[in-house]
Amino acid sequence: MFELINYNYNAYAIPMAVTTALVLFLGLWVLVRERKSPDSILFFLLSFVISIWFFAFTWMYCATNAATALAWAKAAYTGIPLIPAAIYHFSVSVLQLYQRRKILVWLSWVLAILFSVLIVGTDALISQVYHYWWGFYPSYGKLGVAYLTFFFGMIIFALGDYVVEYRKIEPGTQKLRLKWFMIASGILFLGSVDYLAKFGIPIYPFGYLPVFVSLLIAAATIKRYHLADLTPEFAAGEILETMQGAVLMVDLHGSVRGVNRAACATFGYQESEFIGLPLTTLVEAPYGVELEPRQLLNDGPIKDIKMPWRLNRGGYIDVSVSASVITDRNGFPAGVVYVVTDMIECKRAEAAIAREERYALVMQGARDGWWDWNLKTNEIFFSPRWKAMLSYEESDIGTRPDDWFQRIHTEEVGRVKAEIAAHLEGRTPHYESEHRMLHKDGTYRWILSRGIAIRDSEGKPTRFAGSQTDVTERKLTAEQLSYQALYDPMTNLPNRTLLIDVLRRAIARSRRDPNYSFCVVFMDLDRFKVINDSLGHLAGDQLLINVARRLEACLRPTDTAARFGGDEFTLLLEDIPNVEGALNLVNRLQQQIMQPFKLSGQEVSTTASIGIAMSSAAYGLPEEMLRDANTAMYSAKSSGKANCEVFNASMHTNAAGRWNLEADLRRAVEREEFLIHYQPIVSVVTGKIIGIEALVRWLHPQRGLMYPSEFITLAEETGLIRPMGYWLLRKASAQNRIWYEAGYTLRMAVNVSAGQFQDRQFRQHVEDVLIETGMPAQSLELEITESIAMENVEYGMATLDALNTMGVHISIDDFGTGHSSLAYLKRFTIKNLKLDQSFLKDVRNDGDGDNGALATAIITMAHSLKLNVIAEGVETPAQVKFLRAQGCDEMQGYLISRPVTAEVFTTLLREGQYLPPLATP
């Protein structure tokens, strides 16, 4: 089989050999990139068994006789039957369906191995080879149909699972990942053409090409989207930074894979230096053995182990180390998390506490009242300070023990006597008791009484002396601090800390009692910021207090309402049997909240966006339920006001995608990963370019070019819209200055977000940009929507007046889609109205139709107010004809030009200031 005489050079074997090497490279690349995760190991296994097929067929093509070719054909089938099992196992692992498909996965492997054994060890499937013009090729026998049914059946099952899961999830990273895996699986089917040659049909077997293309697409998908949403980078960047101590994530080989900033600061490394560093570089022998990941797998987690660790700059520090093994989603060990605390800082904190306690004792001693009890005569001496502490005169209190005990609160006098007796009998080293004592004004004060017995040579007590301190203020302060630690000071509702404690007990009870169920409701008031800004913070506080009272009135005694801060409230509703019960109670709450409130003499209405998480055995921590209820609330809020959503698994996926996009957006703002495209605004009459609208785009490193609809809403919610908006204003103004110096006098229109417009520094920012770029103020046009202008009318008028004084033009964008007041609109210093494209969609050649009538009315109204009208979204010649007939001033849209880069726009200007579609009469 391995003698050279049995082989000849065959050009048709070269593509198979090259593809073999490429397939192995893809498998190794994914294995390394995904840090040997279970999914990447399965992908490598798939690549390996495919490479067995390609490698064996390469030599089979080169064989000069049928015996040698048959031997290589059977060698190839040691791997080929394993391909469908590997594909299906990889698919269910990526889709996180392994637990539900476990039996089918193992059955596929058993059948695959069985087919391999039968093919290699018998002639049941392959007993001979054909000799075609490209070389030898195996011939299928009586097991062919059974084997092909298994082969394509497993691939169809995998593709079916992809389709089902793809339809379930919302748009996001996971959906994009599954789409490309489905495409890869579909392309894989093209390789079935190879089976025609195995039944005697002389078609060149090019199936290796679609197989390689499908693997290439899968590898590219993994590069762009990873095999999972939760990556080590996400964990290191988002989770570890919330911990105060040094945290290191180490793989099972002992190499550092993630750290937080505290770890870098503690040990003097940059994050890039830490990644890949062996743990033995940090741990001083002999402690490294008990911290080694494999040792922890056997011995279990460790806690607060004291040892020295090495610093990057040299030397050591004493630390306390806790470590535990973390597992992947399939329950397999994935690595170890180490939490390392600097002992020097701990010792400093302990010393500070000790100093404070000693100082407190000295100060208390200076205020103490003293007593001395002669046990032989049963008389007690009370110092003047002891008596004055309770406002008694010297003669008011005698020397009898009852003069002391009868002033102790009746609920505590028995305990005090027992504590004294225990010390006198020698059962305690000293006497100390905190109790209430009667003040002369009839109230009770909290007293800390301490003493020690003096004994004779036989050990019998002869004297008992000590002091007492008024700790009422401290006691009340402690109670107040305890209350403040557990209750919101404004609404007097429980706060987050107390709710989590109550929720923890509810979770524990649900585990003990299967009949007990509950739910967590997360509630966020709609339009609270508008109320706060327009009526003032005092009115906003009154609204929160009134909402709290209404919640308390609606809830049952067993339920708990808490304020989380801001305008967020959280409810724990106990004994809720099902979702319907939760929704009924939440609907009643919503109806109460929707009733008008009287605030500062005005009637104010609000609603709430509500998310619900039902109790289940899957919840082990209160924070998990709060997280899911909060996620459901955000889903409700994104659907509009006054909505309620019940948490489901897809929401968590959407939230994870949103968190990833938010992190990317923050980095994009820092790195200025944005582009500006420019769309011309032309005269309706002449077609001459007289203005430009600057439109932002995001050049995402992985997703490519993203349009505003994909990220602007998130930018507004996170506050990133402000720095993004100011970047757009500055860059667009600088570009317009370049065109201005080239001889083109154009208005640059820039959209202004609500966050920018409400910023008290907005006017100053605009002035700074004009000074910085040197662009004339009259060449700048700021576009705001009706809702932004009407949100705070007085502030909006003042801001617009100031901008108008500078010379800046103001446009009302998307006019006709908001809820503006014409009376207010007349008072705004605006130049232009931008007619929303929705009013032009149904305009026919004759200009008839409801939309045409509305557009005509808006144009007529605007001209009566001496405003310029700009039509948006012009796409057809009929719309141009209509706009000319109605006397519209300017227009923009795809008929004229799509938004283009600055370079393309410059070319448009150079070629002529009349655009081709409008230049013809």
Side-chain angles (χ1 to χ4, degrees), residues 679 681 693 695 708 712 716 749-754 781-790 810-820 825 830 832-841 855 858 861 868-874 892:
Q679 187 174 37
I681 301 172
E693 182 172 4
L695 301 168
I712 286 296
E716 290 173 341
V750 179
N751 288 284
V752 177
S753 68
E781 179 178 318
L782 299 178
E783 296 186 2
I784 62 173
T785 63
E786 297 175 80
S787 57
I788 293 175
M790 300 302 299
I810 303 297
S811 288
I812 296 296
D813 195 15
D814 299 332
F815 184 78
T817 61
H819 306 283
S820 63
L825 193 61
I830 58 178
N832 304 315
L833 285 185
K834 300 199 76 173
L835 182 66
D836 188 73
Q837 62 181 347
S838 60
F839 293 102
L840 297 178
K841 283 188 176 179
I858 292 173
M861 179 273 295
N868 194 53
V869 180
I870 305 171
E872 296 181 292
V874 177
Q892 64 184 102

Side-chain angles (χ1 to χ4, degrees), residues 563-583:
R563 182 189 175 212
F564 261 36
D567 58 337
E568 295 177 338
F569 295 86
T570 305
L571 314 176
L572 171 59
L573 308 181
E574 302 199 49
D575 294 313
I576 299 295
N578 48 42
V579 172
E580 288 73 19
L583 290 174

Side-chain angles (χ1 to χ4, degrees), residues 174-189:
Q174 186 181 3
K175 197 175 186 75
L176 289 170
R177 184 192 303 122
L178 296 190
K179 181 183 79 171
W180 286 107
F181 280 147
M182 279 195 297
I183 292 173
S185 298
I187 292 175
L188 192 67
F189 272 97

